Amino acid sequence: VSFDYESTITRTEDTRKSHGTVWMNVTDRTFRLRGEANSTKMGPLVMDLIADSDGGKAPTLLTVNLNLSLQEEQQCVAYTVPELPAAMQQELDVMAQQQMRFLEVGKVRGEDCAIFSAPLTRGRSIRLWVDMEAKKEEAILRSEVYHGEKLLRRTDILAWHQVDELHAALTAHWNWGCSPKAGQSHLATLGLHEVHRRSMELQDVLWSIRSEPRGFAVLEVLALTGDVAIMVQEPPVPDL
Protein backbone atom coordinates (compact mmCIF):
# COMPACT_ATOMS: atom_id res chain seq x y z
CA VAL A 1 0.00 0.00 0.00
CA SER A 2 0.99 3.63 -0.38
CA PHE A 3 -0.32 7.03 0.67
CA ASP A 4 0.38 10.71 0.03
CA TYR A 5 0.54 13.01 3.04
CA GLU A 6 0.95 16.58 4.24
CA SER A 7 2.36 17.14 7.73
CA THR A 8 2.28 20.18 9.97
CA ILE A 9 4.62 20.55 12.93
CA THR A 10 3.78 23.35 15.35
CA ARG A 11 6.54 24.63 17.60
CA THR A 12 6.68 27.64 19.89
CA GLU A 13 8.62 29.70 17.36
CA ASP A 14 7.07 28.60 14.06
CA THR A 15 4.98 26.16 12.06
CA ARG A 16 6.63 23.87 9.53
CA LYS A 17 5.01 21.94 6.71
CA SER A 18 6.20 19.06 4.59
CA HIS A 19 4.62 16.63 2.19
CA GLY A 20 5.48 13.33 0.62
CA THR A 21 4.59 9.70 0.03
CA VAL A 22 4.96 6.48 2.03
CA TRP A 23 5.15 2.97 0.55
CA MET A 24 4.83 -0.10 2.80
CA ASN A 25 5.10 -3.85 2.33
CA VAL A 26 4.09 -5.21 5.73
CA THR A 27 4.71 -8.81 4.65
CA ASP A 28 8.34 -8.16 3.68
CA ARG A 29 8.69 -5.59 6.50
CA THR A 30 9.96 -2.90 4.19
CA PHE A 31 8.96 0.72 3.85
CA ARG A 32 9.97 3.88 2.03
CA LEU A 33 9.32 7.46 3.04
CA ARG A 34 9.77 10.29 0.56
CA GLY A 35 9.56 13.70 2.21
CA GLU A 36 9.77 17.15 0.67
CA ALA A 37 10.18 20.47 2.46
CA ASN A 38 10.20 23.60 0.33
CA SER A 39 11.36 26.06 2.98
CA THR A 40 14.52 25.11 4.85
CA LYS A 41 17.66 27.14 5.60
CA MET A 42 19.34 25.35 2.70
CA GLY A 43 16.44 25.73 0.28
CA PRO A 44 14.13 22.98 -1.02
CA LEU A 45 14.97 19.53 0.36
CA VAL A 46 13.88 16.10 -0.84
CA MET A 47 14.70 12.98 1.17
CA ASP A 48 14.07 9.33 0.34
CA LEU A 49 14.46 6.82 3.16
CA ILE A 50 14.17 3.07 2.48
CA ALA A 51 14.29 0.49 5.27
CA ASP A 52 14.54 -3.22 4.40
CA SER A 53 14.72 -5.93 7.06
CA ASP A 54 14.32 -8.90 4.65
CA GLY A 55 11.04 -9.95 6.19
CA GLY A 56 12.36 -9.40 9.71
CA LYS A 57 15.06 -12.06 9.25
CA ALA A 58 18.03 -9.71 9.09
CA PRO A 59 19.27 -6.42 10.56
CA THR A 60 17.60 -3.51 8.79
CA LEU A 61 19.42 -2.02 5.81
CA LEU A 62 18.77 1.72 5.71
CA THR A 63 19.21 3.71 2.49
CA VAL A 64 18.96 7.50 2.66
CA ASN A 65 19.07 9.75 -0.39
CA LEU A 66 19.14 13.51 0.14
CA ASN A 67 18.77 16.14 -2.56
CA LEU A 68 19.34 19.86 -1.99
CA SER A 69 18.42 21.34 -5.37
CA LEU A 70 19.36 24.94 -4.60
CA GLN A 71 22.81 23.83 -3.44
CA GLU A 72 23.08 21.33 -6.31
CA GLU A 73 24.00 18.69 -3.72
CA GLN A 74 22.89 15.08 -3.72
CA GLN A 75 24.13 12.15 -1.65
CA CYS A 76 22.99 8.61 -0.97
CA VAL A 77 24.23 6.51 1.93
CA ALA A 78 23.33 2.88 2.73
CA TYR A 79 24.25 1.13 5.97
CA THR A 80 23.05 -1.46 8.45
CA VAL A 81 21.07 -0.06 11.36
CA PRO A 82 22.67 -0.79 14.76
CA GLU A 83 20.79 -2.83 17.34
CA LEU A 84 18.41 -0.90 19.56
CA PRO A 85 19.44 -0.72 23.25
CA ALA A 86 17.68 -3.35 25.37
CA ALA A 87 15.71 -0.81 27.41
CA MET A 88 14.25 0.76 24.25
CA GLN A 89 13.43 -2.67 22.84
CA GLN A 90 11.55 -3.57 26.01
CA GLU A 91 9.54 -0.35 25.99
CA LEU A 92 8.53 -0.94 22.37
CA ASP A 93 7.58 -4.54 23.21
CA VAL A 94 5.26 -3.26 25.95
CA MET A 95 3.69 -0.57 23.76
CA ALA A 96 3.11 -3.05 20.94
CA GLN A 97 0.83 -5.10 23.20
CA GLN A 98 -1.44 -2.18 24.08
CA GLN A 99 -4.85 -1.87 22.47
CA MET A 100 -6.25 1.13 20.64
CA ARG A 101 -9.19 2.85 22.32
CA PHE A 102 -12.02 4.98 21.00
CA LEU A 103 -11.90 8.65 22.04
CA GLU A 104 -14.62 10.59 20.22
CA VAL A 105 -15.99 11.53 16.81
CA GLY A 106 -14.85 14.37 14.56
CA LYS A 107 -14.70 15.56 10.96
CA VAL A 108 -11.88 15.59 8.41
CA ARG A 109 -12.51 17.34 5.09
CA GLY A 110 -16.26 17.01 5.70
CA GLU A 111 -16.14 13.27 6.48
CA ASP A 112 -17.44 11.92 9.79
CA CYS A 113 -14.62 10.09 11.57
CA ALA A 114 -14.12 8.01 14.67
CA ILE A 115 -10.96 9.01 16.56
CA PHE A 116 -8.87 6.26 18.13
CA SER A 117 -5.77 6.54 20.32
CA ALA A 118 -2.84 4.20 20.92
CA PRO A 119 0.21 4.69 23.18
CA LEU A 120 3.73 5.11 21.83
CA THR A 121 7.05 5.27 23.67
CA ARG A 122 8.34 8.12 25.85
CA GLY A 123 4.95 9.44 26.87
CA ARG A 124 3.71 9.91 23.31
CA SER A 125 0.48 8.69 21.74
CA ILE A 126 -0.97 8.58 18.24
CA ARG A 127 -4.53 9.42 17.31
CA LEU A 128 -6.05 8.11 14.11
CA TRP A 129 -9.03 9.72 12.41
CA VAL A 130 -10.90 6.87 10.69
CA ASP A 131 -13.71 7.24 8.15
CA MET A 132 -15.96 4.39 9.20
CA GLU A 133 -17.75 4.34 5.84
CA ALA A 134 -14.62 4.12 3.67
CA LYS A 135 -12.89 1.01 2.37
CA LYS A 136 -10.48 -0.53 4.86
CA GLU A 137 -7.28 0.55 3.08
CA GLU A 138 -8.59 4.11 2.61
CA ALA A 139 -10.22 4.63 6.00
CA ILE A 140 -7.43 6.52 7.82
CA LEU A 141 -7.67 10.21 6.89
CA ARG A 142 -5.44 11.80 9.55
CA SER A 143 -2.91 10.95 12.23
CA GLU A 144 -1.81 13.13 15.15
CA VAL A 145 1.08 12.60 17.54
CA TYR A 146 0.77 13.92 21.08
CA HIS A 147 3.07 14.17 24.06
CA GLY A 148 0.66 14.07 26.94
CA GLU A 149 -2.05 16.49 25.82
CA LYS A 150 0.26 18.59 23.63
CA LEU A 151 -0.11 18.17 19.87
CA LEU A 152 3.33 17.66 18.29
CA ARG A 153 2.37 17.18 14.64
CA ARG A 154 -0.59 16.46 12.42
CA THR A 155 -0.51 14.48 9.20
CA ASP A 156 -3.37 14.60 6.71
CA ILE A 157 -3.45 11.59 4.43
CA LEU A 158 -4.43 13.00 1.05
CA ALA A 159 -4.81 9.78 -0.93
CA TRP A 160 -4.28 6.04 -0.60
CA HIS A 161 -2.93 3.99 -3.52
CA GLN A 162 -2.65 0.36 -4.47
CA VAL A 163 0.79 -0.04 -6.05
CA ASP A 164 1.27 -2.71 -8.73
CA GLU A 165 5.08 -2.48 -8.77
CA LEU A 166 5.69 -2.14 -5.04
CA HIS A 167 9.10 -3.82 -5.20
CA ALA A 168 10.36 -1.17 -7.60
CA ALA A 169 9.09 1.62 -5.34
CA LEU A 170 10.94 0.05 -2.39
CA THR A 171 14.25 -0.23 -4.25
CA ALA A 172 16.93 2.48 -4.35
CA HIS A 173 17.34 4.08 -7.78
CA TRP A 174 20.59 3.18 -9.52
CA ASN A 175 21.29 6.83 -10.29
CA TRP A 176 21.35 7.74 -6.58
CA GLY A 177 24.90 6.37 -6.50
CA CYS A 178 24.62 4.99 -2.97
CA SER A 179 27.80 4.40 -0.98
CA PRO A 180 28.29 2.43 2.24
CA LYS A 181 29.46 5.45 4.22
CA ALA A 182 29.10 9.21 4.20
CA GLY A 183 31.77 11.35 2.65
CA GLN A 184 32.34 15.08 2.93
CA SER A 185 28.98 16.49 2.01
CA HIS A 186 26.03 18.46 3.28
CA LEU A 187 24.39 15.20 4.35
CA ALA A 188 25.01 14.54 8.01
CA THR A 189 24.09 11.44 9.98
CA LEU A 190 20.60 10.67 11.18
CA GLY A 191 22.09 9.89 14.58
CA LEU A 192 21.30 6.18 14.52
CA HIS A 193 24.55 5.11 16.15
CA GLU A 194 23.88 7.21 19.22
CA VAL A 195 20.67 7.39 21.19
CA HIS A 196 19.56 10.99 21.45
CA ARG A 197 16.45 13.02 20.80
CA ARG A 198 17.20 13.68 17.14
CA SER A 199 16.88 10.04 16.08
CA MET A 200 14.69 8.26 18.64
CA GLU A 201 11.46 8.27 16.60
CA LEU A 202 13.25 6.88 13.56
CA GLN A 203 14.93 4.20 15.66
CA ASP A 204 11.51 3.18 17.01
CA VAL A 205 10.17 2.76 13.48
CA LEU A 206 13.15 0.79 12.21
CA TRP A 207 13.01 -1.63 15.13
CA SER A 208 9.22 -2.01 14.88
CA ILE A 209 9.34 -2.72 11.14
CA ARG A 210 11.83 -5.50 11.83
CA SER A 211 10.54 -7.07 15.04
CA GLU A 212 7.15 -5.88 16.29
CA PRO A 213 3.63 -6.98 15.24
CA ARG A 214 2.67 -5.61 11.86
CA GLY A 215 -0.18 -3.45 13.13
CA PHE A 216 2.09 -1.67 15.58
CA ALA A 217 4.75 -1.24 12.89
CA VAL A 218 2.17 0.54 10.72
CA LEU A 219 1.29 2.84 13.63
CA GLU A 220 4.97 3.72 14.06
CA VAL A 221 5.30 4.56 10.35
CA LEU A 222 2.19 6.75 10.52
CA ALA A 223 3.71 8.54 13.53
CA LEU A 224 6.98 9.22 11.67
CA THR A 225 5.68 11.31 8.77
CA GLY A 226 6.96 14.86 9.03
CA ASP A 227 9.43 13.98 11.79
CA VAL A 228 12.59 12.51 10.26
CA ALA A 229 15.19 14.84 11.75
CA ILE A 230 18.41 15.29 9.82
CA MET A 231 21.32 17.62 10.31
CA VAL A 232 22.45 19.49 7.19
CA GLN A 233 25.90 21.02 7.27
CA GLU A 234 25.69 24.77 6.75
CA PRO A 235 28.29 26.76 4.80
CA PRO A 236 31.24 28.02 6.88
CA VAL A 237 31.21 31.59 8.20
CA PRO A 238 33.39 33.79 5.96
CA ASP A 239 36.75 34.84 7.35
CA LEU A 240 36.61 38.64 7.07
Side-chain angles (χ1 to χ4, degrees):
V1 295
S2 174
F3 62 86
D4 302 325
Y5 71 87
E6 181 178 73
S7 289
T8 303
I9 301 176
T10 302
R11 295 189 172 95
T12 304
E13 65 276 10
D14 61 2
T15 297
R16 300 180 183 180
K17 289 184 177 290
S18 63
H19 62 277
T21 303
V22 171
W23 297 261
M24 288 184 290
N25 186 326
V26 294
T27 302
D28 290 346
R29 293 186 171 271
T30 304
F31 85 97
R32 173 182 173 185
L33 185 150
R34 180 180 179 87
E36 302 182 35
N38 295 324
S39 300
T40 74
K41 289 183 178 180
M42 304 298 289
L45 180 150
V46 178
M47 184 194 68
D48 283 278
L49 184 154
I50 300 175
D52 184 356
S53 66
D54 191 20
K57 297 178 289 186
T60 301
L61 177 66
L62 182 67
T63 302
V64 183
N65 184 65
L66 184 68
N67 194 314
L68 294 162
S69 57
L70 188 62
Q71 306 299 315
E72 297 184 345
E73 289 278 357
Q74 179 269 332
Q75 184 183 13
C76 181
V77 179
Y79 57 94
T80 300
V81 175
E83 291 292 325
L84 201 63
M88 294 179 68
Q89 291 182 28
Q90 292 170 4
E91 186 178 8
L92 279 168
D93 290 344
V94 171
M95 293 299 105
Q97 301 305 316
Q98 305 302 308
Q99 299 296 316
M100 299 187 69
R101 62 186 181 91
F102 171 72
L103 290 181
E104 57 184 342
V105 296
K107 281 185 178 290
V108 174
R109 301 189 291 275
E111 300 294 339
D112 293 324
C113 293
I115 305 172
F116 298 89
S117 176
L120 301 173
T121 57
R122 297 179 300 284
R124 299 172 302 130
S125 63
I126 184 171
R127 298 182 185 181
L128 299 182
W129 297 59
V130 180
D131 183 352
M132 302 303 290
E133 297 181 357
K135 296 179 181 179
K136 181 178 178 181
E137 64 273 13
E138 301 173 355
I140 300 174
L141 301 183
R142 172 179 291 170
S143 66
E144 295 177 329
V145 177
Y146 283 78
H147 186 271
E149 294 300 316
K150 179 182 179 181
L151 176 64
L152 300 180
R153 59 189 172 276
R154 170 178 291 156
T155 296
D156 284 308
I157 298 177
L158 306 178
W160 287 87
H161 310 286
Q162 291 295 327
V163 183
D164 294 330
E165 298 295 332
L166 189 58
H167 177 74
L170 293 169
T171 303
H173 292 189
W174 65 268
N175 60 353
W176 288 355
C178 291
S179 63
K181 59 182 179 180
Q184 298 298 317
S185 171
H186 285 301
L187 177 61
T189 67
L190 291 160
L192 293 173
H193 289 272
E194 298 178 3
V195 179
H196 51 76
R197 191 173 301 276
R198 176 159 55 91
S199 64
M200 282 182 174
E201 284 77 9
L202 180 56
Q203 291 192 67
D204 285 353
V205 173
L206 296 176
W207 179 261
S208 299
I209 282 290
R210 174 185 169 188
S211 302
E212 299 296 351
R214 294 173 182 173
F216 184 74
V218 171
L219 284 181
E220 284 285 354
V221 171
L222 288 168
L224 183 67
T225 51
D227 193 54
V228 178
I230 61 173
M231 296 294 290
V232 178
Q233 180 182 335
E234 297 181 359
V237 176
D239 185 11
L240 301 178

